[in-house]
Amino acid sequence: MKRRVSDEQLVELVEAAIFVSDKPLSKKRLKETVLEDISVSSPRIDQALETLVNHYQTRGVRLVEVGTGYRFQACPSLSPWLSKLWQEKAPKYSRATLETLALIAYRQPITRGEIEQVRGVTVSSNIVKSLIDREWIKVVGYKEVPGKPALYATTKQFLDYFSLSGLGELPRLPEQHNEKIEQLLNDPSVREPSE
């Protein structure tokens, strides 16, 4: 028989579970683990999460939803002070890596050949490998053209790293950039190289 808890107890339990979790905690995982023996509906979990989001809205940490669930993170405006806690510098990424990642994020699924078509230069295997190793991108299929090149897309870990709950939260590209990318992708003079 499942136990019952008050709304206040549920909020405390959800808060503590997210706080101690080593990675973002989804509602599904919350129900399958911490709340497994407790009689609680999905709307009550949603309400508990909403209560916590509102409670932390004016605090130094925020409860945020990212790609794989909920996590606490420091308020971005405090980063100038908090960054002093870490001796190591954030990794620097090359322009080529960032351009490749941006094209995958905005145009997924996309092939390496299409990325090269837009960028106008060859994409290094090391760039693709490093993005896959970081678990920011993955192969989601193969394009039905000669050579069957891999189709790349971003992962939930990409969303988590950039504190996004979905791709809809990516900044909008200026219209002229969108048009230029479309023009380059639809240029018949550039053939899809096989990988």
Side-chain angles (χ1 to χ4, degrees):
M1 183 165 156
K2 294 195 174 209
R3 295 182 44 211
R4 294 188 175 277
V5 294
S6 69
D7 288 344
E8 187 175 299
Q9 289 171 317
L10 178 61
V11 167
E12 289 174 354
L13 193 51
V14 169
E15 178 182 36
I18 294 170
F19 184 77
V20 300
S21 180
D22 62 341
K23 57 188 173 197
L25 197 56
S26 68
K27 291 184 226 180
K28 181 178 185 242
R29 182 147 165 71
L30 198 56
K31 280 186 91 161
E32 292 172 349
T33 56
V34 178
L35 303 176
E36 180 181 41
D37 299 328
I38 297 173
S39 177
V40 60
S41 66
S42 291
R44 278 189 71 204
I45 295 171
D46 291 341
Q47 183 58 49
L49 288 165
E50 186 64 31
T51 299
L52 289 167
V53 167
N54 291 335
H55 173 74
Y56 284 98
Q57 205 59 37
T58 58
R59 313 287 299 196
V61 292
R62 304 277 196 273
L63 178 61
V64 296
E65 184 178 10
V66 293
T68 58
Y70 288 84
R71 71 176 177 201
F72 285 106
Q73 64 186 40
C75 181
S77 63
L78 300 177
S79 67
W81 297 279
L82 298 176
S83 64
K84 295 174 185 174
L85 292 171
W86 290 277
Q87 295 295 343
E88 61 189 56
K89 296 279 185 201
K92 300 269 187 210
Y93 297 102
S94 70
R95 180 179 178 148
T97 298
L98 294 175
E99 286 176 358
T100 301
L101 183 60
L103 280 165
I104 294 169
Y106 282 97
R107 293 293 175 180
Q108 60 190 298
I110 189 170
T111 67
R112 184 172 169 175
E114 290 167 333
I115 295 167
E116 292 172 350
Q117 196 167 323
V118 172
R119 291 193 61 237
V121 294
T122 302
V123 175
S124 161
S125 295
N126 291 336
I127 289 175
V128 174
K129 183 181 178 337
S130 72
L131 293 173
I132 289 172
D133 289 348
R134 282 197 135 261
E135 296 181 346
W136 286 356
I137 66 168
K138 65 181 177 182
V139 174
V140 294
Y142 297 89
K143 191 167 185 173
E144 291 298 322
V145 296
K148 293 200 181 259
L151 288 165
Y152 296 101
T154 56
T155 63
K156 297 266 188 196
Q157 287 77 11
F158 164 83
L159 296 174
D160 288 353
Y161 185 85
F162 291 100
S163 296
L164 304 168
S165 61
L167 293 172
E169 291 184 3
L170 285 170
R172 286 183 49 89
L173 283 178
E175 194 54 43
Q176 69 261 24
H177 287 105
N178 257 334
E179 290 171 4
K180 183 67 173 171
I181 290 170
E182 281 300 320
Q183 179 185 8
L184 289 167
L185 286 173
N186 294 319
D187 183 354
S189 68
V190 183
R191 290 194 341 234
E192 181 76 47
S194 59
E195 293 185 35

